[in-house]
Amino acid sequence: MELQVHTKDRTYPIIIERNALSKAKEYIGTDRVFLISDDGVPEKWRESLKAQFPDAVMHVIPQGEGSKCFAVYQDVLAHMLELHLSRKDTVVALGGGVVGDLAGFCAATYMRGIRYVNIPSTMLSMVDSSIGGKTAIDFQGIKNCVGAFWQPSLVIVDPEVLSTLSPRLLHEGMAEAVKMGMTHDPKLFELFEQDNYMDHLDEIIERSLKVKQGVVERDEREGGERKLLNFGHTYGHAYESYHELNRYLHGECVAMGMMTVVQEPELKARLKNVLERLELPLECECDKEEICRLVQNDKKADHGTVTIVQVNELGHGFTEEWDNAMVRKGIGL
Ligand SMILES: NC(=O)c1ccc[n+]([C@@H]2O[C@H](COP(=O)([O-])OP(=O)(O)OC[C@H]3O[C@@H](n4cnc5c(N)ncnc54)[C@H](O)[C@@H]3O)[C@@H](O)[C@H]2O)c1
Ligand SMILES: [Zn+2]
C-alpha cells in the first residue's frame, strides 16, 4: 500500500508493505546514500539494508535518547563531510524515533538540506514520528529543543521489522495509535477492542498513518489541528519529566495522560479496557502537586490556562482551556 503525503515543500510517498526493507534500494532508486542506524536495531535489519548498498557506509550511533545530542550530531556531520557527501546524495535512516529525528536533522542542515529517506523500525516511529517533518536533537536537558521542519522524500514502513521489538516497546508505540483512534478514527480504536488485535497490526499502522497524514497535510506547522495529536501528552509529558529515571516509556506516559483527561464515563471505560489489553499503565505513581506544577509549565500553557486535548465522543478530539482548578481536578486534587 502506498500513501502520498502532500506538504508545502514536497509530496512524498509512504510505502507500507511487508518485507519492503529487503527492497529498499528499488524504492530509494539511487546508490549514493549515507546510512544511519543505531546499535539496538537488530543486525539482521541493518545487514538487510546495507547489503543492498555495497558501496555505502553505515554510521551506527549508540541506541537511546542520549544520541539526540550535539556530540553525536557533530560526529555524523563530520562523517558526511569526510565522505564528501553532496546535495545529490541521500541520507537513509533505519531505526526508531531517535535515529529518525537525528538523521532527519542532519539531512535538514547538511549543505542547507539534502534528501532524506526514513525507514522506521519501532512501532512508535512507524505510526507517529516518521512522518510530519519534525526533526530535532535535545539540548541543555530540553527535549527536541534544537531542530528543523524537514520532510522526508520517502518513508518505507515494513511491519515485518517489528517482529524483533520487545512487547513493551510494541505496546508503548500502540498507545500513539490508540490516541489517534480516540481523536480521529473510531474504527482504528475498535481494532484494539477485537480479540486479537495483533492480527490487525498492518491495518493499525495504515490507519494511524492515514490519520497523521491528514493532520500533517492540513496543519504542517502545528498552528491548529496538529495540536489534537497532543491528546494525552500534556499530563503525559509531566509524568515523563517527573520520573527522570525513565521508569516509564513515552507511550506509557501518553496512556496515563489519556486516562487522566478523559471524563466521559463510557468512553473512559472503553479506553481503560484497551490500555489494559496492551499492558499499558493507567495511573502514574507521583506527587500530584508536582504534576500540576509541571503541567502548568508545559510549553502549551498560555495566559494562565493550559490547552488540553479532550475527547468525549470516540473519533472527535477538540481542545479546551483548563485553568488551575481544572488542572488540579483532572488529576484528582
Ligand atoms: N519527530 C516526531 O514527530 C516525533 C514524534 C514522536 C516521538 N519522537 C521522538 O522519537 C524518539 C523515540 O522513538 P522510539 O520510541 O522509536 O525510540 P528509540 O528510537 O529509542 O527506539 C527504542 C529502542 O528500540 C531499538 N529498536 C529499534 N528498532 C528495533 C527493532 N526493529 N527491533 C528491536 N529493537 C529495535 C532501538 O535501538 C532502541 O533501543 C524520541 O526521541 C522522541 O522525541 C519524534
Ligand atoms: Zn507522543
Side-chain angles (χ1 to χ4, degrees), residues 1-34:
M1 184 197 178
E2 189 173 321
L3 290 175
Q4 293 288 333
V5 185
H6 303 276
T7 66
K8 196 167 55 55
D9 298 331
R10 61 170 70 98
T11 293
Y12 60 91
I14 307 175
I15 313 284
I16 310 163
E17 186 188 310
R18 288 210 169 243
N19 299 312
L21 175 63
S22 61
K23 293 190 270 172
K25 187 174 174 193
E26 274 172 49
Y27 289 121
I28 295 168
T30 172
D31 279 336
R32 296 164 53 106
V33 295
F34 179 70

Tab-separated table of all heavy atoms in Angstrom, residues 1-34:
chain	number	residue	atom	x	y	z
A	1	MET	N	0.832	-1.194	0.000
A	1	MET	CA	0.000	0.000	0.000
A	1	MET	C	0.878	1.259	0.000
A	1	MET	O	1.950	1.262	0.580
A	1	MET	CB	-0.840	-0.006	1.279
A	1	MET	CG	-1.793	1.127	1.311
A	1	MET	SD	-2.416	1.405	2.953
A	1	MET	CE	-3.417	2.809	2.618
A	2	GLU	N	0.397	2.261	-0.698
A	2	GLU	CA	1.179	3.494	-0.760
A	2	GLU	C	0.289	4.690	-0.434
A	2	GLU	O	-0.821	4.792	-0.945
A	2	GLU	CB	1.764	3.627	-2.169
A	2	GLU	CG	2.755	4.749	-2.290
A	2	GLU	CD	3.473	4.770	-3.646
A	2	GLU	OE1	3.810	3.698	-4.180
A	2	GLU	OE2	3.694	5.882	-4.153
A	3	LEU	N	0.789	5.564	0.427
A	3	LEU	CA	0.078	6.812	0.723
A	3	LEU	C	0.921	7.955	0.177
A	3	LEU	O	2.150	7.879	0.219
A	3	LEU	CB	-0.035	7.029	2.243
A	3	LEU	CG	-0.936	6.146	3.078
A	3	LEU	CD1	-0.761	6.502	4.552
A	3	LEU	CD2	-2.375	6.346	2.663
A	4	GLN	N	0.290	9.000	-0.271
A	4	GLN	CA	1.039	10.179	-0.704
A	4	GLN	C	0.814	11.285	0.317
A	4	GLN	O	-0.332	11.582	0.656
A	4	GLN	CB	0.534	10.676	-2.068
A	4	GLN	CG	0.805	9.737	-3.223
A	4	GLN	CD	2.278	9.697	-3.634
A	4	GLN	OE1	3.021	10.667	-3.438
A	4	GLN	NE2	2.704	8.566	-4.183
A	5	VAL	N	1.900	11.870	0.809
A	5	VAL	CA	1.754	12.979	1.748
A	5	VAL	C	2.047	14.280	0.995
A	5	VAL	O	3.119	14.430	0.399
A	5	VAL	CB	2.743	12.859	2.936
A	5	VAL	CG1	2.490	13.963	3.960
A	5	VAL	CG2	2.617	11.492	3.584
A	6	HIS	N	1.081	15.182	1.013
A	6	HIS	CA	1.265	16.457	0.306
A	6	HIS	C	1.596	17.541	1.318
A	6	HIS	O	0.785	17.847	2.180
A	6	HIS	CB	-0.016	16.851	-0.432
A	6	HIS	CG	-0.473	15.798	-1.400
A	6	HIS	ND1	0.025	15.686	-2.672
A	6	HIS	CD2	-1.355	14.783	-1.261
A	6	HIS	CE1	-0.537	14.658	-3.275
A	6	HIS	NE2	-1.376	14.086	-2.440
A	7	THR	N	2.816	18.085	1.228
A	7	THR	CA	3.160	19.204	2.103
A	7	THR	C	3.562	20.384	1.225
A	7	THR	O	3.692	20.246	0.007
A	7	THR	CB	4.339	18.859	3.050
A	7	THR	OG1	5.509	18.680	2.255
A	7	THR	CG2	4.085	17.599	3.856
A	8	LYS	N	3.760	21.511	1.893
A	8	LYS	CA	4.096	22.733	1.144
A	8	LYS	C	5.392	22.532	0.336
A	8	LYS	O	5.487	22.947	-0.797
A	8	LYS	CB	4.266	23.884	2.155
A	8	LYS	CG	4.226	25.257	1.550
A	8	LYS	CD	4.088	26.339	2.604
A	8	LYS	CE	5.119	26.352	3.720
A	8	LYS	NZ	6.510	26.404	3.423
A	9	ASP	N	6.371	21.887	0.964
A	9	ASP	CA	7.674	21.738	0.312
A	9	ASP	C	7.696	20.627	-0.731
A	9	ASP	O	8.354	20.732	-1.741
A	9	ASP	CB	8.765	21.440	1.359
A	9	ASP	CG	8.901	22.588	2.338
A	9	ASP	OD1	8.618	23.724	1.921
A	9	ASP	OD2	9.273	22.342	3.502
A	10	ARG	N	7.044	19.531	-0.427
A	10	ARG	CA	7.092	18.416	-1.372
A	10	ARG	C	5.984	17.409	-1.100
A	10	ARG	O	5.358	17.416	-0.041
A	10	ARG	CB	8.448	17.705	-1.312
A	10	ARG	CG	8.816	17.083	0.000
A	10	ARG	CD	10.063	16.211	-0.119
A	10	ARG	NE	11.278	16.987	-0.332
A	10	ARG	CZ	12.129	17.313	0.633
A	10	ARG	NH1	11.908	16.929	1.857
A	10	ARG	NH2	13.213	18.018	0.381
A	11	THR	N	5.772	16.568	-2.125
A	11	THR	CA	4.851	15.439	-1.967
A	11	THR	C	5.708	14.185	-1.916
A	11	THR	O	6.619	14.040	-2.724
A	11	THR	CB	3.891	15.382	-3.182
A	11	THR	OG1	3.061	16.542	-3.124
A	11	THR	CG2	3.007	14.149	-3.137
A	12	TYR	N	5.466	13.333	-0.941
A	12	TYR	CA	6.302	12.140	-0.862
A	12	TYR	C	5.465	10.907	-0.512
A	12	TYR	O	4.424	11.010	0.129
A	12	TYR	CB	7.441	12.325	0.156
A	12	TYR	CG	6.997	12.607	1.573
A	12	TYR	CD1	6.789	11.562	2.491
A	12	TYR	CD2	6.800	13.912	2.014
A	12	TYR	CE1	6.399	11.821	3.799
A	12	TYR	CE2	6.409	14.175	3.316
A	12	TYR	CZ	6.215	13.125	4.198
A	12	TYR	OH	5.824	13.380	5.488
A	13	PRO	N	5.941	9.737	-0.975
A	13	PRO	CA	5.184	8.514	-0.697
A	13	PRO	C	5.574	7.844	0.618
A	13	PRO	O	6.731	7.938	1.052
A	13	PRO	CB	5.549	7.610	-1.874
A	13	PRO	CG	6.859	8.101	-2.373
A	13	PRO	CD	7.056	9.516	-1.910
A	14	ILE	N	4.610	7.186	1.209
A	14	ILE	CA	4.881	6.257	2.318
A	14	ILE	C	4.526	4.882	1.776
A	14	ILE	O	3.379	4.648	1.376
A	14	ILE	CB	3.972	6.517	3.534
A	14	ILE	CG1	4.025	7.978	3.969
A	14	ILE	CG2	4.341	5.603	4.697
A	14	ILE	CD1	3.036	8.276	5.109
A	15	ILE	N	5.513	4.002	1.754
A	15	ILE	CA	5.261	2.630	1.312
A	15	ILE	C	4.989	1.810	2.567
A	15	ILE	O	5.793	1.834	3.505
A	15	ILE	CB	6.524	2.023	0.632
A	15	ILE	CG1	7.133	2.986	-0.386
A	15	ILE	CG2	6.260	0.633	0.079
A	15	ILE	CD1	6.414	3.089	-1.676
A	16	ILE	N	3.880	1.114	2.613
A	16	ILE	CA	3.587	0.239	3.762
A	16	ILE	C	3.453	-1.172	3.201
A	16	ILE	O	2.487	-1.483	2.508
A	16	ILE	CB	2.283	0.651	4.474
A	16	ILE	CG1	2.282	2.152	4.771
A	16	ILE	CG2	2.106	-0.150	5.781
A	16	ILE	CD1	0.914	2.704	5.096
A	17	GLU	N	4.447	-1.992	3.489
A	17	GLU	CA	4.470	-3.297	2.828
A	17	GLU	C	5.370	-4.253	3.594
A	17	GLU	O	6.485	-3.886	3.972
A	17	GLU	CB	5.033	-3.070	1.413
A	17	GLU	CG	5.026	-4.241	0.513
A	17	GLU	CD	5.791	-3.900	-0.783
A	17	GLU	OE1	5.506	-2.854	-1.404
A	17	GLU	OE2	6.716	-4.661	-1.102
A	18	ARG	N	4.897	-5.460	3.828
A	18	ARG	CA	5.757	-6.462	4.486
A	18	ARG	C	6.956	-6.768	3.589
A	18	ARG	O	6.799	-6.890	2.390
A	18	ARG	CB	4.954	-7.724	4.788
A	18	ARG	CG	3.973	-7.473	5.918
A	18	ARG	CD	3.658	-8.682	6.755
A	18	ARG	NE	2.927	-8.194	7.926
A	18	ARG	CZ	3.359	-8.296	9.175
A	18	ARG	NH1	4.501	-8.895	9.431
A	18	ARG	NH2	2.650	-7.799	10.159
A	19	ASN	N	8.113	-6.866	4.200
A	19	ASN	CA	9.389	-7.135	3.511
A	19	ASN	C	9.858	-6.002	2.595
A	19	ASN	O	10.722	-6.220	1.750
A	19	ASN	CB	9.335	-8.456	2.730
A	19	ASN	CG	9.070	-9.608	3.682
A	19	ASN	OD1	9.722	-9.723	4.722
A	19	ASN	ND2	8.088	-10.434	3.359
A	20	ALA	N	9.296	-4.829	2.761
A	20	ALA	CA	9.739	-3.689	1.931
A	20	ALA	C	11.199	-3.340	2.215
A	20	ALA	O	11.902	-2.838	1.332
A	20	ALA	CB	8.860	-2.471	2.185
A	21	LEU	N	11.677	-3.643	3.429
A	21	LEU	CA	13.067	-3.323	3.753
A	21	LEU	C	14.017	-4.015	2.775
A	21	LEU	O	15.008	-3.434	2.344
A	21	LEU	CB	13.392	-3.726	5.204
A	21	LEU	CG	14.842	-3.549	5.640
A	21	LEU	CD1	15.269	-2.083	5.599
A	21	LEU	CD2	15.070	-4.111	7.053
A	22	SER	N	13.686	-5.259	2.422
A	22	SER	CA	14.590	-6.008	1.536
A	22	SER	C	14.557	-5.465	0.101
A	22	SER	O	15.357	-5.866	-0.729
A	22	SER	CB	14.232	-7.493	1.560
A	22	SER	OG	12.909	-7.653	1.107
A	23	LYS	N	13.608	-4.567	-0.154
A	23	LYS	CA	13.532	-3.964	-1.495
A	23	LYS	C	13.799	-2.461	-1.436
A	23	LYS	O	13.456	-1.717	-2.353
A	23	LYS	CB	12.136	-4.197	-2.083
A	23	LYS	CG	11.835	-5.649	-2.383
A	23	LYS	CD	10.554	-5.757	-3.186
A	23	LYS	CE	9.368	-5.879	-2.274
A	23	LYS	NZ	8.076	-5.806	-2.887
A	24	ALA	N	14.394	-2.032	-0.330
A	24	ALA	CA	14.543	-0.591	-0.103
A	24	ALA	C	15.242	0.106	-1.274
A	24	ALA	O	14.848	1.187	-1.692
A	24	ALA	CB	15.306	-0.346	1.198
A	25	LYS	N	16.267	-0.551	-1.811
A	25	LYS	CA	17.030	0.105	-2.874
A	25	LYS	C	16.150	0.425	-4.088
A	25	LYS	O	16.274	1.486	-4.690
A	25	LYS	CB	18.205	-0.770	-3.285
A	25	LYS	CG	19.095	-0.038	-4.243
A	25	LYS	CD	20.347	-0.775	-4.578
A	25	LYS	CE	21.060	0.019	-5.662
A	25	LYS	NZ	22.116	-0.752	-6.250
A	26	GLU	N	15.275	-0.525	-4.415
A	26	GLU	CA	14.354	-0.275	-5.545
A	26	GLU	C	13.537	0.984	-5.305
A	26	GLU	O	13.346	1.800	-6.196
A	26	GLU	CB	13.351	-1.420	-5.679
A	26	GLU	CG	13.823	-2.584	-6.498
A	26	GLU	CD	12.821	-3.727	-6.400
A	26	GLU	OE1	11.612	-3.498	-6.589
A	26	GLU	OE2	13.270	-4.851	-6.095
A	27	TYR	N	13.064	1.124	-4.084
A	27	TYR	CA	12.233	2.288	-3.772
A	27	TYR	C	13.064	3.573	-3.712
A	27	TYR	O	12.626	4.627	-4.138
A	27	TYR	CB	11.505	2.088	-2.439
A	27	TYR	CG	10.414	1.048	-2.507
A	27	TYR	CD1	10.444	-0.080	-1.691
A	27	TYR	CD2	9.350	1.193	-3.389
A	27	TYR	CE1	9.444	-1.038	-1.760
A	27	TYR	CE2	8.352	0.245	-3.465
A	27	TYR	CZ	8.399	-0.872	-2.640
A	27	TYR	OH	7.412	-1.801	-2.720
A	28	ILE	N	14.259	3.453	-3.169
A	28	ILE	CA	15.091	4.659	-2.999
A	28	ILE	C	15.631	5.127	-4.349
A	28	ILE	O	15.713	6.328	-4.613
A	28	ILE	CB	16.235	4.386	-1.982
A	28	ILE	CG1	15.631	4.122	-0.594
A	28	ILE	CG2	17.216	5.555	-1.924
A	28	ILE	CD1	16.604	3.571	0.436
A	29	GLY	N	15.984	4.161	-5.186
A	29	GLY	CA	16.309	4.488	-6.573
A	29	GLY	C	17.636	5.183	-6.801
A	29	GLY	O	17.820	5.813	-7.825
A	30	THR	N	18.541	5.124	-5.845
A	30	THR	CA	19.886	5.671	-6.081
A	30	THR	C	20.899	4.885	-5.257
A	30	THR	O	20.566	4.288	-4.242
A	30	THR	CB	19.979	7.168	-5.692
A	30	THR	OG1	21.332	7.578	-5.773
A	30	THR	CG2	19.478	7.423	-4.278
A	31	ASP	N	22.165	4.919	-5.713
A	31	ASP	CA	23.245	4.241	-4.988
A	31	ASP	C	23.902	5.155	-3.979
A	31	ASP	O	24.570	4.718	-3.066
A	31	ASP	CB	24.359	3.863	-5.974
A	31	ASP	CG	24.015	2.590	-6.703
A	31	ASP	OD1	23.217	1.819	-6.148
A	31	ASP	OD2	24.544	2.390	-7.809
A	32	ARG	N	23.749	6.467	-4.231
A	32	ARG	CA	24.539	7.438	-3.461
A	32	ARG	C	23.834	7.749	-2.147
A	32	ARG	O	23.149	8.755	-2.014
A	32	ARG	CB	24.769	8.680	-4.297
A	32	ARG	CG	25.614	8.358	-5.541
A	32	ARG	CD	25.519	9.475	-6.549
A	32	ARG	NE	25.834	10.753	-5.959
A	32	ARG	CZ	26.971	11.430	-6.170
A	32	ARG	NH1	27.914	10.898	-6.909
A	32	ARG	NH2	27.142	12.607	-5.637
A	33	VAL	N	24.034	6.861	-1.189
A	33	VAL	CA	23.339	7.023	0.087
A	33	VAL	C	24.325	6.997	1.255
A	33	VAL	O	25.419	6.448	1.153
A	33	VAL	CB	22.287	5.902	0.313
A	33	VAL	CG1	21.171	5.975	-0.709
A	33	VAL	CG2	22.935	4.525	0.297
A	34	PHE	N	23.890	7.602	2.342
A	34	PHE	CA	24.624	7.540	3.614
A	34	PHE	C	23.638	6.939	4.609
A	34	PHE	O	22.564	7.505	4.851
A	34	PHE	CB	25.033	8.959	4.025
A	34	PHE	CG	25.783	9.039	5.326
A	34	PHE	CD1	27.086	8.553	5.427
A	34	PHE	CD2	25.187	9.611	6.454
A	34	PHE	CE1	27.787	8.646	6.638
A	34	PHE	CE2	25.893	9.696	7.660
A	34	PHE	CZ	27.194	9.215	7.742
